[in-house]
Amino acid sequence: MKRLLAVTVLLVGLTGCGVDWTTLFGWNNTGDTGEARLKQFTSESELKEYLVNQASPRNTNVYAPVPTPADASGSMSQDNAAPTAMNEGTGNVEQSSDIPDYSTTTEQEEGVHEADIVKSDGNYLYILSDGILHIVDANPAIEMSEVSTVDIEGWGNDMYLVGDKVVILSQPDSPVFAMAEQSLSSEIASFWIFEQTIVVTVIDVTDRAAPAIKSRSEFDGWVNSSRMIGTKLYMVITNDLAFLNRISADDVDGTTTEVELADLLPNVTIEVDGKTEYSGDVADYSEYYYPEDSDGLGFSTIVTMDIDSPQNYTAQSVVGYPSNIYASTEALYITDTDYTYDGTLRQTTDIYKFSFTDSGTELVASGTVPGRVLNQYSMSEYNGYLRVATTTVSSGRWLFDDSDSSNAVYVLKQNGDALELAGKLEGLAPGESIYSARFLGDKGYLVTFEQIDPLFTLDLSDPTNPVAVGELKVPGFSTFITPLGENHLLTIGQDTNDDNGWTFAEGVRLSIFDISDFANPTLAHYEVIGETGAYSEALYNPKAFTLYTQSDLIAFPVEIYDWNYAVDDDGLLGGSVATETATTNNEAVTDTPPTETEGSTDVDEPAGTVIDIPAPNNYFVGLYVYKATAENGFELIGRISTATDNEYCYYCGPSFTRGAFIDDNVYAMTSEGVKAASVSAIETILSTVEFEQPEYPEPVAPEPVEKPDIDNVTDNGNVNSGNATNE
């Protein structure tokens, strides 16, 4: 039980970063292993009946349609065509010599682009903040200026840059609230639910000073994850309980005569150049599939949209919940791990493979592996094989007790409509859980954690016989792994300290591992930033970790809140300023904070007096920049503070911080603006752009709705038209 993991620090970074919480903390129960199968609906009435029955209370019998659909493999064509990749930000052309070197979003697979809140094309920065797209002319850095803004509908955290087009995925500020009724025993429960929508906005930025919205597409649901290959956008959209509000109490009890299928399915409206081109159901009934083991309420819909002609989108949907999304240049994979129909957590993961075709995606195969998948980096497709790293717990357990856990790597090969087991490596690190994974070519790397951080090197050259060939144990743990040249790995994670049987996280830890001797990996260099109060979004969001391989530079956000108080002999409480101490290769070095860093003030008040809390020691919010090489390890280039000017609110900083490089300059981008500096003199800010902050409207509560008269309800949940009451 030695993996406390500094919960107070790390839980902040888990939300919205694609991490399966139940894998990380092991909230699992035993589940049966089996082979996943998706079946296709054969009629509108069959799909309608299935959905209405799925809306019944979860304590009823599991429903499956009576008619046996045709084998789904009948529609699974093997004639697939992968889309053509484009260079991010430059279109489908080679980068010309007049475009400077610049950093891009950290992505898992080459040619498969991933969304983020910032993008760069080498001359301009595109920053999505508080529902506004900011376009900043960033080159030359000393003349940086904001050239235009575009108001985006709602709030967005996902953005792509494809040639001269910006694609933004956002959620409207005010979701549609609706009233739902459900029969529970002899009462009708009335409650508010809301229907979230996702808006895809395509903006032409050919003229950066006068961007123009080209299309707007609104889908019911919210985006689990998305990818872009070429001009094609692939979104996995989740719909939860939204259709319940369209089903009356009678319908929930099984009467389906008054409900229409169109009222149950998610909708889409697509506008191009201000004109509505399509409005209706996202997909036809024939594009819906359901698993043999029912997965409750919800849809997982894969939407393929060419941003040049969004009205010609295609979609396929699975009745179930997605967990993690992985995409290669050949196929997109959805994992389904969360719950069985009766609400228990599964101990197996279903995997659905959708191959890319000329028009979109096509369901081609499905399968199941034991255990749970941490995130997208725990999966990888190579030479037609899918490698999957999982953690399995044989029984239910308390939060931090993983004594019966085990880890494995499974290799799957498509055979017809099935993802079949080709090879497996089981029994890795008993009693621990996977904290990071990376598959690179025919090699794999796993980091597990309980107290000492083991790095495993895996030989996957024979997919039928994966082998663990090396293991290295070092303090701490890594949460993201990326290659550093041919023979080294660069990781970010946290350092740890063992204190009386409890393991605490103690600072952000950078490591470089030498894997030139694959069977005997070694720790070549490491750096620890801060102590217990240090955190970085990059720990659980690789997109916050900027790699600039052209100059061997890395940049990532860091927050340090070290609160230390002392009472002197007179009972006076004091706070003091202290410089940060970083540990490099087991040697302590002093890092003097830049002049922009906010310091604390001394406080001396009689004991028992209510006082303002002093600033934390080593307080810092901003961007760290390092030069990272296999030969010399980590060289701190400097850091740029993005902290708030409010000395009384040390947690009121920007909502995000990202780093970017253009030629020899570094840019600290936040929700509040941009700061530019030369890498050679990072402490000197060359120019600053401040964003105008939006005014936030007061939240509007939904109109109250009168609840049904509970005294006027029959035993079967129907409301009487007369004055009879239940006994």
Side-chain angles (χ1 to χ4, degrees):
M1 195 176 66
K2 294 184 176 181
R3 65 187 204 107
L4 181 58
L5 186 60
V7 177
T8 56
V9 176
L10 292 183
L11 287 183
V12 177
L14 291 174
T15 303
C17 297
V19 174
D20 187 334
W21 290 51
T22 52
T23 298
L24 189 60
F25 293 121
W27 297 329
N28 301 307
N29 293 320
T30 302
D32 294 331
T33 321
E35 193 170 347
R37 281 290 183 269
L38 289 178
K39 295 185 177 182
Q40 190 174 22
F41 291 101
T42 58
S43 67
E44 291 186 359
S45 60
E46 184 185 21
L47 174 56
K48 170 183 168 181
E49 184 180 0
Y50 185 93
L51 296 178
V52 172
N53 279 273
Q54 289 291 85
S56 300
R58 295 177 73 92
N59 59 1
T60 61
N61 294 328
V62 174
Y63 169 82
V66 176
T68 302
D71 190 346
S73 63
S75 66
M76 295 182 182
S77 170
Q78 304 302 314
D79 183 16
N80 302 309
T84 302
M86 298 178 81
N87 296 325
E88 183 184 35
T90 59
N92 197 20
V93 296
E94 294 297 324
Q95 182 171 316
S96 60
S97 58
D98 60 345
I99 297 178
D101 286 336
Y102 63 96
S103 59
T104 59
T105 301
T106 298
E107 296 166 337
Q108 183 178 5
E109 298 288 357
E110 184 176 358
V112 182
H113 297 306
E114 301 184 33
D116 196 17
I117 47 183
V118 300
K119 293 291 179 179
S120 171
D121 61 13
N123 288 307
Y124 293 88
L125 300 174
Y126 306 82
I127 303 167
L128 183 58
S129 172
D130 295 329
I132 300 174
L133 170 64
H134 302 268
I135 302 179
V136 175
D137 187 347
N139 193 16
I142 199 169
E143 299 176 5
M144 181 175 63
S145 63
E146 183 176 55
V147 295
S148 63
T149 62
V150 180
D151 289 337
I152 303 302
E153 187 173 352
W155 301 85
N157 291 316
D158 294 327
M159 175 173 59
Y160 293 94
L161 176 63
V162 183
D164 288 328
K165 288 187 174 66
V166 173
V167 183
I168 295 176
L169 283 57
S170 62
Q171 293 179 336
D173 297 327
S174 301
V176 178
F177 283 87
M179 196 66 185
E181 295 181 350
Q182 185 168 350
S183 175
L184 300 174
S185 300
S186 62
E187 297 182 355
I188 296 177
S190 299
F191 51 92
W192 283 103
I193 63 172
F194 68 90
E195 299 176 14
Q196 185 64 63
T197 59
I198 183 75
V199 175
V200 181
T201 306
V202 179
I203 305 169
D204 188 335
V205 294
T206 303
D207 183 353
R208 269 62 176 181
I213 295 178
K214 300 300 294 181
S215 67
R216 175 191 179 277
S217 305
E218 183 171 3
F219 295 84
D220 288 346
W222 64 92
V223 172
N224 174 284
S225 190
S226 65
R227 301 290 189 275
M228 278 208 75
I229 301 178
T231 60
K232 289 184 178 178
L233 170 66
Y234 300 91
M235 299 181 291
V236 179
I237 297 178
T238 300
N239 295 95
D240 203 348
L241 304 176
F243 60 81
L244 271 182
N245 71 296
R246 305 188 184 103
I247 304 176
S248 70
D250 285 347
D251 296 322
V252 173
D253 284 338
T255 304
T256 63
T257 56
E258 297 180 2
V259 63
E260 298 295 333
L261 179 61
D263 295 329
L264 304 180
L265 302 180
N267 298 319
V268 59
T269 299
I270 297 177
E271 300 173 358
V272 179
D273 293 326
K275 178 183 177 181
T276 299
E277 294 289 343
Y278 175 77
S279 182
D281 296 338
V282 169
D284 183 74
Y285 78 89
S286 61
E287 298 294 347
Y288 282 84
Y289 299 83
Y290 68 94
E292 285 187 335
D293 295 328
S294 300
D295 194 27
L297 301 167
F299 299 111
S300 301
T301 304
I302 300 178
V303 173
T304 304
M305 174 186 290
D306 191 313
I307 61 172
D308 292 331
S309 55
Q311 67 273 24
N312 298 322
Y313 81 94
T314 61
Q316 291 184 303
S317 188
V318 177
V319 184
Y321 294 107
S323 180
N324 289 300
I325 310 301
Y326 163 75
S328 68
T329 55
E330 304 295 327
L332 184 145
Y333 295 84
I334 296 179
T335 70
D336 183 355
T337 318
D338 292 336
Y339 296 93
T340 57
Y341 189 78
D342 63 2
T344 59
L345 286 165
R346 285 186 183 140
Q347 196 54 259
T348 58
T349 296
D350 294 338
I351 302 174
Y352 309 132
K353 178 182 179 180
F354 293 80
S355 286
F356 295 131
T357 67
D358 288 333
S359 59
T361 60
E362 188 167 25
L363 174 63
V364 294
S366 55
T368 301
V369 294
R372 301 177 68 86
V373 179
L374 177 64
N375 56 31
Q376 68 183 64
Y377 285 89
S378 294
M379 297 178 282
S380 173
E381 186 182 67
Y382 183 70
N383 288 341
Y385 291 89
L386 178 69
R387 293 83 62 88
V388 185
T390 69
T391 296
T392 303
V393 178
S394 61
S395 62
R397 60 189 174 91
W398 185 65
L399 179 60
F400 300 112
D401 179 13
D402 54 3
S403 58
D404 60 354
S405 65
S406 183
N407 306 284
V409 173
Y410 297 97
V411 183
L412 304 179
K413 177 71 172 179
Q414 182 180 343
N415 182 12
D417 67 342
L419 293 174
E420 296 182 346
L421 184 67
K424 63 181 179 180
L425 173 60
E426 296 180 315
L428 291 170
E432 302 191 1
S433 297
I434 293 174
Y435 269 57
S436 60
R438 193 70 189 261
F439 298 98
L440 301 169
D442 61 2
K443 295 180 172 61
Y445 307 92
L446 295 181
V447 170
T448 62
F449 180 69
E450 191 264 347
Q451 181 182 8
I452 299 296
D453 173 10
L455 168 71
F456 293 93
T457 58
L458 312 177
D459 183 355
L460 306 172
S461 57
D462 181 359
T464 65
N465 184 34
V467 178
V469 297
E471 178 181 352
L472 173 66
K473 292 186 176 181
V474 293
F477 58 88
S478 301
T479 56
F480 175 62
I481 305 170
T482 191
L484 185 66
E486 291 284 332
N487 297 311
H488 292 82
L489 298 175
L490 170 64
T491 72
I492 186 171
Q494 289 205 272
D495 201 32
T496 56
N497 176 44
D498 188 24
D499 184 11
N500 295 322
W502 290 87
T503 300
F504 296 91
E506 294 234 330
V508 176
R509 181 185 178 100
L510 300 171
S511 301
I512 295 176
F513 295 96
D514 187 338
I515 53 172
S516 54
D517 183 353
F518 201 63
N520 296 286
T522 59
L523 176 64
H525 310 279
Y526 77 92
E527 170 101 344
V528 179
I529 303 170
E531 297 181 353
T532 305
Y535 171 78
S536 172
E537 183 188 350
L539 290 172
Y540 290 101
N541 183 5
K543 298 168 189 176
F545 193 80
T546 303
L547 299 161
Y548 189 41
T549 56
Q550 297 92 320
S551 299
D552 298 321
L553 295 172
I554 59 175
F556 53 95
V558 174
E559 301 175 21
I560 300 174
Y561 303 100
D562 272 346
W563 297 91
N564 296 315
Y565 304 102
V567 178
D568 61 21
D569 294 338
D570 297 326
L572 300 180
L573 178 67
S576 60
V577 179
T579 59
E580 178 188 350
T581 299
T583 303
T584 307
N585 298 344
N586 295 316
E587 295 181 0
V589 297
T590 300
D591 170 25
T592 303
T595 56
E596 287 194 344
T597 303
E598 297 290 338
S600 64
T601 55
D602 291 338
V603 177
D604 290 312
E605 294 288 344
T609 301
V610 178
I611 62 171
D612 291 332
I613 298 177
N617 299 328
N618 299 340
Y619 168 73
F620 178 81
V621 173
L623 190 74
Y624 266 69
V625 180
Y626 281 92
K627 190 176 185 68
T629 61
E631 297 76 19
N632 300 318
F634 298 101
E635 176 189 354
L636 179 63
I637 301 301
R639 60 187 192 175
I640 300 175
S641 172
T642 60
T644 178
D645 292 332
N646 187 344
E647 62 179 316
Y648 299 103
C649 183
Y650 301 104
Y651 291 92
C652 298
S655 59
F656 66 85
T657 296
R658 291 286 193 278
F661 297 95
I662 299 177
D663 278 341
D664 296 326
N665 297 312
V666 60
Y667 301 81
M669 301 170 288
T670 75
S671 56
E672 299 178 356
V674 187
K675 294 180 179 180
S678 170
V679 171
S680 60
I682 199 171
E683 66 279 357
T684 301
I685 301 301
L686 297 176
S687 59
T688 299
V689 169
E690 295 183 358
F691 297 153
E692 183 177 352
Q693 297 302 302
E695 295 183 4
Y696 303 108
E698 293 292 330
V700 178
E703 292 294 331
V705 173
E706 184 178 353
K707 294 183 178 180
D709 185 359
I710 300 303
D711 293 332
N712 194 22
V713 179
T714 64
D715 289 339
N716 65 6
N718 297 325
V719 179
N720 289 323
S721 58
N723 296 321
T725 58
N726 293 325
E727 294 182 0

